[in-house]
Amino acid sequence: MSEAASTHVALAKSTRNSATHGSTRDGSLLPSLAPLLHEWLPRQRWFAGKGRPVTGFSLVSATEMLPLDGAAGPGLLHLLVRVQQPSAPVRPADDCYQLLLGVRTSLPTTLAAALVGRADRGPLAGRTVYDALHDPRLAGLLLERFRRPGTLGTLRFERNAAIPAGLPPRVLDAEQSNSSIVYGDAYILKIFRRIFPGTNPDLELPLALTGEGCERVPAPVAWFEAPGPEPLTLGVLQPFLHGARDGWQLALAALAAGRDFLPEARALGRATAEVHTALAAALPTPALRGTQTRQLVAQMTQRLEAAAQAVPALVPYVPGLRATFDAVTDLGHRGSGWAQQRVHGDLHLGQTLRSADGFWSLIDFEGEPARPLPERRRPAPPVRDVAGMLRSFDYAARSHRPWHPEWAARCRAAYCEGYALASGTDPRGEPELLRAHETDKAVYEVLYEARHRPDWLPVPMAAIQRLAQSAAA
């Protein structure tokens, strides 16, 4: 059974015994919503099944967080809905999504942009359905649930600290694979949209880092989940770093001002090393040897071959890139091994924040959302994160006109120097492994840009050319 299929089966087992709560027990709720969701879901930025038709829905669980028949105001439905689509080569046919839907007899003009649709059948007939996160009253209700943890229907709320009442909510617009609400500039709630069985790394790893006293990651204040044999992580509440700016914005500002980014890059390297050190202390650190090394290289090679089939411009570079991966296999055959541990998994400048006092934090430990959760939770060499950040410096330099390759090269060196100062290990000391991970990341970028942002394709293709030539040298 494939990993994607295993994930799908596990999700079914985790939610098999879920029951609806309140007036949704009669099973007619989904038929009432299905025509609306069929039109609305594929338009959402966080919907992962774009390009494939939606053929149906199945209800995993439903909880009335606020009764739908209340005359005084809106109702609030929490749903986990499995969306049925034709299968694709690299993903299961059905994905499970978390929906928080408001229900009103009529929708105020201030909520017009949140409209899902008006139901014409079933228990919601004649009612207007909308995305509840945009409704301040319903978004505030979520915070109240965290303030009074416990079980509600199919949901369980937990918290680690007291939370003040009455913080005004606002939805952030910049999310892609998830949705976020900021409460009074004090907390940020990330709502996971595509749901997998098992604890989400964006909860698991910050909790582990908090336990080690690492201050580089905002500590989870509260979270909620759907309990089961494998709990489904639904959302995490963390401190909101008000006034902080992300590394991508700061890097572009430095380029626009014609100045270097070396102190920032060096400090980012130190912050990354501190997080890696704490994760290694908190969680298992299996060695990468023998069969595991061959499996790692085989997966990288498979991704390269699949990308080359989809993006013909990659084909001339395949032999050189494959040689980069083979160099790791050769070292493994000679007895070399490397440390593995839990890592960020999707580290780049946009996943970092610098506060007004210059302190750097790392955020968004979910990993690459397109990958199955078991893969995202798998230990990896720390240079995987380093490679992601090195690629990000290259992206920043390429975003500026004229292109400044020397700026990127200096930042890459400063980042590795900062990492070495904090960890005692320079990631450049394992050049074959670092180059293989950077190549794997660039191949991923080529495929992504070709599919979603063709104008950006020259950015990773320049790295592909450099890496292929480096392997041949």
Side-chain angles (χ1 to χ4, degrees):
M1 182 181 293
S2 69
E3 184 170 62
S6 297
T7 298
H8 179 61
V9 170
L11 180 59
K13 290 179 179 177
S14 293
T15 56
R16 184 173 294 151
N17 296 322
S18 295
T20 54
H21 178 76
S23 65
T24 60
R25 290 180 183 274
D26 61 7
S28 60
L29 175 66
L30 193 56
S32 188
L33 284 170
L36 311 183
L37 297 180
H38 196 279
E39 297 295 325
W40 179 77
L41 264 176
R43 300 199 304 266
Q44 305 313 301
R45 288 181 295 179
W46 40 261
F47 183 70
K50 288 181 172 60
R52 293 182 291 142
V54 174
T55 57
F57 303 94
S58 60
L59 187 63
V60 174
S61 69
T63 298
E64 285 186 23
M65 298 187 69
L66 198 61
L68 302 184
D69 54 0
L76 175 59
L77 272 176
H78 180 281
L79 304 179
L80 292 178
V81 175
R82 187 172 290 113
V83 179
Q84 297 157 5
Q85 295 183 273
S87 62
V90 295
R91 53 182 302 121
D94 302 345
D95 285 323
C96 181
Y97 291 93
Q98 176 180 196
L99 308 179
L100 288 114
L101 301 178
V103 180
R104 292 176 178 257
T105 53
S106 61
L107 198 63
T109 55
T110 54
L111 294 175
L115 177 68
V116 175
R118 189 170 180 84
D120 60 7
R121 68 186 74 172
L124 300 180
R127 312 284 287 277
T128 300
V129 180
Y130 60 101
D131 186 344
L133 300 187
H134 293 267
D135 187 332
R137 175 175 175 181
L138 299 183
L141 178 66
L142 280 174
L143 190 67
E144 284 301 305
R145 291 305 318 177
F146 288 122
R147 294 186 66 243
R148 296 175 293 160
T151 300
L152 175 68
T154 61
L155 309 176
R156 183 171 64 210
F157 292 80
E158 307 275 0
R159 67 174 170 86
N160 277 340
I163 302 170
L167 299 175
R170 59 183 173 89
V171 178
L172 294 185
D173 296 327
E175 297 299 315
Q176 295 293 328
S177 59
N178 301 296
S179 300
S180 291
I181 306 174
V182 172
Y183 292 96
D185 287 337
Y187 302 101
I188 182 168
L189 172 62
K190 178 187 283 188
I191 299 289
F192 301 112
R193 289 297 195 168
R194 187 170 165 228
I195 303 300
F196 298 87
T199 303
N200 193 294
D202 211 13
L203 172 62
E204 178 188 16
L205 298 187
L207 282 176
L209 289 164
T210 300
E212 290 296 322
C214 181
E215 298 180 350
R216 293 292 185 176
V217 177
V221 175
W223 60 93
F224 73 117
E225 60 188 10
E230 290 187 274
L232 313 179
T233 307
L234 302 175
V236 181
L237 185 75
Q238 293 176 297
F240 180 64
L241 303 181
H242 181 59
R245 297 181 65 189
D246 72 55
W248 178 256
Q249 295 173 327
L250 291 168
L252 294 188
L255 280 161
R259 62 177 179 82
D260 64 35
F261 197 64
L262 302 187
E264 294 90 339
R266 198 170 287 111
L268 270 176
R270 177 179 292 276
T272 305
E274 290 179 11
V275 168
H276 281 171
T277 299
L279 285 175
L283 298 167
T285 56
L288 178 66
R289 294 186 183 276
T291 301
Q292 288 185 323
T293 301
R294 291 191 292 274
Q295 290 175 343
L296 174 68
V297 171
Q299 290 165 358
M300 290 179 169
T301 303
Q302 288 169 3
R303 288 192 285 268
L304 170 61
E305 292 171 350
Q309 289 182 352
V311 187
L314 200 54
V315 172
Y317 303 103
V318 168
L321 301 178
R322 191 182 287 117
T324 296
F325 300 147
D326 290 342
V328 175
T329 303
D330 292 342
L331 286 174
H333 285 320
R334 292 187 224 135
S336 295
W338 297 273
Q340 288 192 113
Q341 63 170 82
R342 296 297 297 277
V343 297
H344 183 283
D346 189 25
L347 190 60
H348 53 77
L349 286 165
Q351 308 283 43
T352 67
L353 292 174
R354 193 185 71 178
S355 60
D357 62 2
F359 187 81
W360 284 96
S361 299
L362 274 57
I363 59 172
D364 293 339
F365 280 73
E366 189 180 357
E368 293 177 3
R371 299 193 180 191
L373 189 60
E375 183 178 330
R376 288 186 267 146
R377 297 181 69 191
R378 201 176 287 155
V383 294
R384 177 180 171 186
D385 281 348
V386 173
M389 188 61 75
L390 299 186
R391 292 294 311 121
S392 194
F393 287 126
D394 195 33
Y395 257 77
R398 282 266 175 177
S399 300
H400 187 268
R401 297 291 184 273
W403 176 38
H404 287 291
E406 299 84 5
W407 184 94
R410 292 194 298 270
C411 286
R412 290 156 63 93
Y415 177 80
C416 290
E417 291 165 4
Y419 190 100
L421 287 171
S423 70
T425 302
D426 192 323
R428 294 169 295 184
E430 300 173 333
E432 295 85 0
L433 193 64
L434 178 58
R435 187 163 53 243
H437 278 87
E438 190 175 357
T439 299
D440 189 46
K441 183 67 173 179
V443 168
Y444 169 86
E445 293 165 355
V446 165
L447 189 59
Y448 180 88
E449 304 299 7
R451 287 175 173 171
H452 302 287
R453 303 187 303 182
D455 290 346
W456 283 75
L457 186 57
V459 179
M461 284 303 302
I464 289 292
Q465 183 178 7
R466 170 176 59 84
L467 291 163
Q469 290 173 346
S470 175

